[in-house]
Amino acid sequence: MMRILKLTAENRQNILQNLLKRSPNQYTEYEERVAAILNAVRQEGDAAVFRYTKMFDRADLNAENVRVTEAEFEEAYASLEDPNFLNIIREASANIRAYHEKQRKYSWFDSTPDGTLLGQKVTPLAKVGVYVPGGKAVLSSSVLMNIIPAKVAGVDEIIMLTPPGPDGKISPYSLVAAKEAGADAVYKVGGAQAIAALAYGTQSIPKVDKIVGPGNIYVALAKKAVYGNVGIDSIAGPSEVLVLADETANPKFVAADLLSQAEHDELASAILITTSEELAQKVSEETERFLGILSRSETIRKSLDNYGYILVADSMDEAIETANDIASEHLEIVTKNPFEVMMKIRNVGAIFLGEYSSEPLGDYFAGPDHILPTNGTAKFFSALSVDDFIKKSSIIYYSKEALAPVADKVIGFAEAEKLTAHANSIRVRFE
């Protein structure tokens, strides 16, 4: 049974502290190991990448087989167990592409009659590295969610890295997704060594301008360490869902949605905040019933024991305030009027409204990106988007006639800051 707590100020603080333990920033004991991997790859290139891949993934790689070949892509298409998967991937891709195309930014220019032209030039990044986790689940959905926004933005070269199995192969589902999304190259490398290869470049793997995509604690800390040498999207932690519900919610649906996040891993968080004690009890009972039939019940149970909560609030306003404090990756609003509640939500990665908009819909198919801020970072980070794959450069043009009436003002500003060379740069133009 999931634990049921009365929502109090003390409980809220304790839960926030508990959830923050999952942040990559708390795992400082791994930083030295990650730094050693980064330094080795920086100095040795391929040799270090292949050594760590043998050590961690038990796969033998070399310069000839580290990159996925066209023959391997063809083999992946031929070996799909579910022949309908390709159609599903293509339909999901179309939805994701259509959504992200609405985010596209364009250069703009604004001129005035007095001889000025100001503007903003939007330029896609030249080369982007996409990291896709392997390990406990084959995340072909993450392939689409990382690559398609980059393609829509117009990135010149998209390079995907993902860990191989001990046989040196990558899941055919991931390879098919990569080909359908438009990856320019796929390499069989995972972990911190993959991030290092993308950040510094090796003999086989090119250096990129930005690295995006989630991963385990080693990947998260590696991204944090290489930031500045390359750009990154954000530092992702374990997955999480928060459900805001009142007495109108279906307890079976709510329980199923909580468990769908808890199955990710033992650090995943699943929280229900409700104004109904009856719903809280029924959801707890339903979770127990589902645990008897779900395949990943052991992982789910550990996740719920560590980071699963049902909180009973006195009012919806109190529930909303707590949701804004937690700033969850995913938020489901299952109330009588979910749109009214949504207007009061400030901090969240993605919002799902109503009882038929469950979180897995966003994971796979609806279109919005599922690479989202976690661990409270939704207070200042956004979902991955086309914006992550562009740069904005400002453009300034003044004619002599336009500069003349403001020259003294610029000179005055510069002299107030004691920057006489700045002032001189304007003054010489009118001597």
Side-chain angles (χ1 to χ4, degrees):
M1 303 280 276
M2 279 186 76
R3 74 191 113 183
I4 301 174
L5 301 173
K6 178 86 174 120
L7 180 54
T8 63
E10 184 183 3
N11 279 339
R12 177 161 65 184
Q13 193 56 38
N14 289 341
I15 289 166
L16 286 168
Q17 289 300 318
N18 191 39
L19 293 177
L20 284 173
K21 290 176 189 171
R22 302 151 58 250
S23 167
N25 293 320
Q26 301 300 314
Y27 288 80
T28 51
E29 69 269 26
Y30 294 106
E31 285 180 346
E32 279 188 30
R33 272 184 267 177
V34 168
I37 294 170
L38 296 179
N39 287 333
V41 173
R42 191 172 200 169
Q43 289 168 17
E44 301 173 51
D46 275 358
V49 170
F50 301 152
R51 186 170 69 249
Y52 287 122
T53 302
K54 179 67 174 173
M55 187 186 303
F56 298 131
D57 299 309
R58 305 190 304 282
D60 288 309
L61 291 184
N62 55 56
E64 278 69 51
N65 67 5
V66 66
R67 179 170 173 168
V68 175
T69 63
E70 281 305 311
E72 286 174 299
F73 280 115
E74 288 169 17
E75 182 188 340
Y77 276 84
S79 64
L80 291 179
E81 293 171 13
D82 179 3
N84 195 40
F85 177 74
L86 187 54
N87 293 329
I88 295 170
I89 277 279
R90 285 175 175 168
E91 195 172 339
S93 297
N95 292 345
I96 297 164
R97 191 170 292 108
Y99 180 86
H100 286 86
E101 279 174 350
K102 293 179 174 66
Q103 297 176 336
R104 289 187 68 175
K105 298 285 194 300
Y106 298 93
S107 300
W108 57 267
F109 303 94
D110 188 18
S111 60
T112 60
D114 64 359
T116 68
L117 185 145
L118 302 176
Q120 182 171 270
K121 185 175 185 292
V122 173
T123 311
L125 301 183
K127 198 172 291 187
V128 166
V130 165
Y131 186 83
V132 176
K136 295 181 181 178
V138 177
L139 299 178
S140 45
S141 56
S142 283
V143 177
L144 305 182
M145 296 290 183
N146 276 292
I147 294 174
I148 291 173
K151 290 295 285 186
V152 170
V155 172
D156 293 346
E157 193 174 351
I158 300 168
I159 296 156
M160 175 176 134
L161 270 64
T162 191
D167 60 357
K169 291 181 179 287
I170 292 169
S171 158
Y173 290 90
S174 290
L175 288 185
V176 168
K179 179 62 82 173
E180 292 294 319
D184 294 293
V186 178
Y187 293 89
K188 308 168 188 176
V189 184
Q193 62 271 23
I195 302 304
L198 289 169
Y200 307 127
T202 72
Q203 293 86 341
S204 297
I205 300 165
K207 180 188 186 310
V208 299
D209 302 315
K210 187 168 187 173
I211 301 170
V212 302
N216 63 16
I217 187 63
Y218 290 97
V219 170
L221 290 175
K223 284 173 71 178
K224 182 180 176 184
V226 301
Y227 176 60
N229 193 71
V230 291
I232 63 170
D233 50 349
S234 63
I235 302 165
S239 195
E240 53 202 23
V241 68
L242 192 152
V243 180
L244 273 181
D246 61 16
E247 71 285 352
T248 65
N250 183 320
K252 187 185 293 186
F253 294 175
V254 172
D257 293 357
L258 292 171
L259 300 186
S260 75
Q261 280 307 290
E263 81 168 337
H264 271 290
D265 61 55
E266 292 154 21
L267 292 174
S269 165
I271 299 173
L272 164 65
I273 308 178
T274 180
T275 48
S276 167
E277 288 187 28
E278 184 183 355
L279 179 76
Q281 194 59 47
K282 285 182 177 176
V283 168
S284 183
E285 291 165 6
E286 288 289 350
T287 56
E288 198 61 32
R289 187 178 67 79
F290 279 128
L291 280 167
I293 58 173
L294 292 170
S295 62
R296 292 168 67 87
S297 57
E298 190 178 333
T299 298
I300 294 171
R301 202 176 286 281
K302 285 179 181 172
S303 167
L304 295 180
D305 287 347
N306 291 328
Y307 304 106
Y309 301 93
I310 297 176
L311 304 174
V312 181
D314 286 332
S315 69
M316 186 52 66
D317 282 344
E318 184 184 36
I320 290 166
E321 185 183 350
T322 304
N324 280 326
D325 272 353
I326 293 172
S328 186
E329 178 186 19
H330 307 99
L331 174 67
E332 292 189 7
I333 303 175
V334 196
T335 59
K336 197 178 301 178
N337 190 341
F339 295 93
E340 183 181 327
V341 173
M342 178 191 70
M343 301 304 287
K344 299 175 182 176
I345 296 296
R346 188 181 192 98
N347 305 320
V348 67
I351 301 173
F352 300 78
L353 298 168
E355 64 181 6
Y356 289 99
S357 307
S358 72
E359 187 276 334
L361 185 66
D363 270 353
Y364 299 117
F365 204 76
D369 213 287
H370 80 198
I371 312 292
L372 298 163
T374 57
N375 270 110
T377 61
K379 290 175 179 174
F380 47 83
F381 275 133
S382 306
L384 192 74
S385 73
V386 169
D387 283 355
D388 285 287
F389 301 102
I390 61 171
K391 303 173 298 168
K392 300 167 188 172
S393 307
S394 52
I395 294 171
I396 300 167
Y397 165 78
Y398 270 58
S399 66
K400 185 176 183 181
E401 292 72 26
L403 181 60
V406 300
D408 287 345
K409 296 168 188 173
V410 180
I411 290 167
F413 219 136
E415 289 178 342
E417 292 186 352
K418 305 289 192 288
L419 296 175
T420 54
H422 278 61
N424 187 57
S425 168
I426 300 293
R427 189 178 286 114
V428 295
R429 284 165 165 76
F430 295 97
E431 286 174 351

